[in-house]
Amino acid sequence: MYQTLYRKYRPKNFDEVVGQNVVVKTLKNSIKNDRINHAYMFFGPRGVGKTSIAKIFARSINCSKKDGNICNECEFCNFSISKDCLDIIEIDAASNNGVDEIRELRDKVNLVPSELKYKVYIIDEVHMLTIQAFNALLKTLEEPPSHVIFILATTDPQKVPETIVSRCQCFSFNRISDKDISENLRRICDAESIKVSDEVLLKIAEFSNGGMRDSIGMLDKLYAYCDAEITMQDFIDLNKIVSNSDIIELIHLVDLGKMDEVSSAISDWNSNGINLIQLMDSILVCLQDVIFDSLKNNKCDFTDVNKIIKLANLINEKMFDIKKCSTPKVYIQIMFLNFMNSYFLDKNISREIISQNKEENKIENKEKNKVLSVKKEKNTTEKEIAGIIEEKNVAPIVNKKSDINNSNIDEIIQIRLNNTFAEADKNELNNDKESFKKLNDFVFDQNIGFLACSLLDSKLRVSSSKNLVISYEYDSVVRENLTHLDEFYDVLSNKIGINKKLAIVSDEVWEKEKKLYITKLKNNEKYSYVEEPNLVYNIIENDSTNDADSDSISVFGDIVEVE
Ligand SMILES: [Zn+2]
């Protein structure tokens, strides 16, 4: 019968244990110095050697040589490995919550060992015991007979009652390093004459997340699956993962703003059974490599290393949400689209088109103030720049690179807040909330997807027939979104039928304003409606500047003043 590689190569003495040096050294010394405790608790991730070491320790403390290992020669070593040995007892608390076994343990614990010096109870997954079983165990731990040793192993020490933990000497088992794992796999492969490259072994190690058992299990699966030699492709096929080169390709697509291709890559992988959460982890590792490489060698295969850093930060930030959401595919797609959209608009389109149109714009610029009909053409140029506004009645768009600090935007937001409070209506708010759901239809829209997403991310606070107040947690998000104020207006009015002027504030500002509103209500003070001025950017009139950004402001700035 085939014996699994894991069983076959399970460590049989302390020398064969990989990656738990501190634990092994301490346990060996305790045997050598004859300082053996009555109860031990081994905790750490699954598959890192807790049960294997417990078994080795149980045999070592019974070896007559007492040198901290198993001699495999003395009568005790011979007995402790035999099937008839009744003095080393393994209990799997996960199998039946251990009530019967713990009860039996309590009944028999006082009986002296039949052959060995110590009777050792190994209780695996001890956190799974029921309360009754814990109580029974506690009674035994309180007054253990001198010939009994307990080794409790768990992946979840938090779930073990403190009264139990405090009676044990505790050992924390760490995840095993990729290097240690791959070296151990190499030993096994050599012994079994399995052909495989170091690259694949390292990949198995990375994939096993520090668990030796999982890594050997995977090697076993690959060995069964492959013909002459285990290749990287076999690994990729069997584990349904995405290759590094495909990940790099994806990062390139994101970098270049290829929204359709990014979206369909994620879709395809998802339909092929790829674990997208694992994929995100791999992308992060890959991005990290890219960032390190670019910073070290001062060159980057992508358009901008800062963009790659931003992408890595974004994925890192969203990882928790991705893990807990029910449809990671959609979440991930939106995340990438959002990233590309904002980046594309902020950097590429405005810079590229601005430089393309520079000459043309300069001519227009000279003629400004002359003819009002120019307005129409300028609007057209603006549409190109933003690339997001459709036909008709478009409110003048503020150039993305305009400095909102350099405008009367704060004044306008304050007036809008005031005006919303002046005519606040609960029904309006409820209707708006209902209408906002329609934004979900546009999250994949090439042009307005990121606006829809941003609006969906907001909290609707108060509404009137003419105004709406939304808020975001972070001030930086508020400032960013304020630069898209007119585009939001367009999406709200043209797509979901909300014809209102928007005030965007931070949660903090909102809380202050709300308090003020409530205080005023109590004191019977009223908000009175104020006419709002036009949004004005203070433009520096300087044609000779070489800076593309300020150029663009002076070129397009006048548009917002028209009307
Ligand atoms: Zn021995």
Side-chain angles (χ1 to χ4, degrees), residues 59-60 62-67 69-78 80:
R59 292 186 64 209
S60 305
N62 279 299
C63 172
S64 60
K65 291 198 174 166
K66 294 204 175 299
D67 63 354
N69 223 328
I70 302 165
C71 76
N72 268 329
E73 286 166 3
C74 71
E75 56 168 323
F76 298 115
C77 283
N78 283 326
S80 65

Side-chain angles (χ1 to χ4, degrees), residues 197-208:
S197 71
D198 286 341
E199 192 198 1
V200 174
L201 294 184
L202 199 62
K203 196 79 202 165
I204 297 175
E206 281 170 23
F207 203 69
S208 313

Side-chain angles (χ1 to χ4, degrees), residues 186-234:
R186 171 55 66 202
R187 271 192 292 278
I188 296 172
C189 290
D190 288 349
E192 294 286 323
S193 308
I194 299 172
K195 274 195 184 169
V196 58
S197 71
D198 286 341
E199 192 198 1
V200 174
L201 294 184
L202 199 62
K203 196 79 202 165
I204 297 175
E206 281 170 23
F207 203 69
S208 313
N209 206 11
M212 186 64 84
R213 183 170 60 215
D214 286 353
S215 73
I216 301 176
M218 189 176 300
L219 178 67
D220 218 345
K221 246 165 70 180
L222 280 162
Y223 187 37
Y225 173 80
C226 297
D227 303 323
E229 185 180 348
I230 301 172
T231 64
M232 189 57 97
Q233 196 55 50
D234 295 325

Side-chain angles (χ1 to χ4, degrees), residues 85-133:
C85 176
L86 298 172
D87 295 332
I88 296 175
I89 302 119
E90 285 178 54
I91 297 172
D92 182 6
S95 64
N96 56 357
N97 299 333
V99 189
D100 293 339
E101 277 159 306
I102 297 288
R103 199 172 290 145
E104 195 185 326
L105 176 157
R106 209 177 50 178
D107 295 342
K108 290 186 180 168
V109 78
N110 286 314
L111 302 176
V112 291
S114 56
E115 301 281 341
L116 301 176
K117 187 177 176 201
Y118 295 105
K119 203 175 203 172
V120 186
Y121 287 93
I122 300 169
I123 308 180
D124 218 354
E125 298 299 344
V126 68
H127 64 273
M128 301 286 282
L129 290 180
T130 59
I131 293 293
Q132 293 94 318

